[in-house]
Amino acid sequence: MNDLIKKQLQDAQATMDKAIAHCETELTKIRAGKASVGMLDGIMVDYYGSPTGLSQVASLTTPDARTILLQPWEKNMLVPIERAIMEANIGINPQNDGVVIRLVVPPLTEERRKDLVKKVKEEAERGRITVRNIRKDANEKIKRLKGEGVSDDEIKTGEGEVQKMTDLYIVKVDKHAEAKEKDVMTV
């Protein structure tokens, strides 16, 4: 296979790996009734005027399946952390006892579980669309190589390899979504 086509395949694979990682990250943000510090990813706290990640200003632990415990490194950060969690609107009210903040994850109703499964399916579809867009871009780049002396047969082979790669990555997205759906529906 031509080196230019191999380069395009490597680029496409690297981009698809990033797409899968992003999809996994988005799926972990969907809470399944179990406490997970991953639910708090992306929440920024005002730390002396600069937005800082929650894990940078407090210790995050899960003492049991339904509770997340946040212990700030500095006592005066309790109120800003509490405010940041409220503003993030994750559906959990923080309980501040003056030393730590407790987040008790409520059990999910059947209706809420079905809504979360819909969210999981939407996120998985976004992941599949991203992978397909990467395939389209890779195929276009491979077709443009015709002007650089790459034969039609090599271009067809390259496009076939891109399709195989796309199929593999779509299966990965589906597996992650299936696992998350199972997690969400488990009582």
Side-chain angles (χ1 to χ4, degrees):
M1 190 182 300
N2 188 308
D3 287 341
L4 295 171
I5 291 178
K6 283 183 184 170
K7 171 95 172 79
Q8 292 304 328
L9 289 172
Q10 289 169 347
D11 290 351
Q13 185 171 9
T15 313
M16 285 183 188
D17 283 336
K18 288 178 187 169
I20 294 292
H22 177 74
C23 186
E24 284 176 29
T25 305
E26 291 303 311
L27 287 173
T28 56
K29 289 181 184 174
I30 298 173
R31 64 184 182 92
K34 292 184 202 88
S36 160
V37 293
M39 295 164 49
L40 304 176
D41 287 351
I43 296 180
M44 301 306 259
V45 178
D46 181 33
Y47 185 67
Y48 298 107
S50 70
T52 309
L54 200 53
S55 61
Q56 303 295 308
V57 295
S59 162
L60 309 174
T61 56
T62 51
D64 60 60
R66 296 231 179 267
T67 310
I68 300 174
L69 198 64
L70 292 95
Q71 187 158 19
W73 307 125
E74 302 171 28
K75 277 247 196 293
N76 62 342
M77 289 306 296
L78 278 168
V79 174
I81 290 172
E82 191 176 14
R83 190 177 312 119
I85 292 169
M86 297 287 271
E87 288 170 0
N89 198 14
I90 57 172
I92 303 172
N93 285 327
Q95 299 168 351
N96 181 349
D97 68 3
V99 179
V100 295
I101 295 176
R102 282 186 180 72
L103 300 174
V104 179
V105 179
L108 298 175
T109 63
E110 188 65 26
E111 184 180 324
R112 181 73 178 127
R113 287 180 194 279
K114 287 178 181 170
D115 287 345
L116 290 174
V117 167
K118 282 181 192 171
K119 270 187 175 176
V120 168
K121 289 183 182 196
E122 287 171 13
E123 205 51 59
E125 186 56 31
R126 266 191 225 114
R128 286 190 288 271
I129 288 169
T130 303
V131 169
R132 289 188 201 113
N133 285 339
I134 294 166
R135 173 189 62 191
K136 185 179 130 204
D137 293 345
N139 283 339
E140 286 173 4
K141 288 176 184 174
I142 288 173
K143 283 177 185 167
R144 280 190 229 127
L145 294 176
K146 190 173 188 178
E148 297 179 33
V150 179
S151 72
D152 286 341
D153 287 345
E154 287 177 312
I155 288 174
K156 285 277 185 238
T157 304
E159 288 175 343
E161 289 299 313
V162 169
Q163 185 57 49
K164 285 181 196 169
M165 194 187 314
T166 302
D167 294 342
L168 283 172
Y169 280 89
I170 285 180
V171 166
K172 284 183 184 181
V173 169
D174 291 343
K175 281 184 181 172
H176 289 301
E178 194 177 301
K180 188 65 181 186
E181 274 184 49
K182 190 175 180 183
D183 187 34
V184 167
M185 290 310 288
T186 304
V187 180

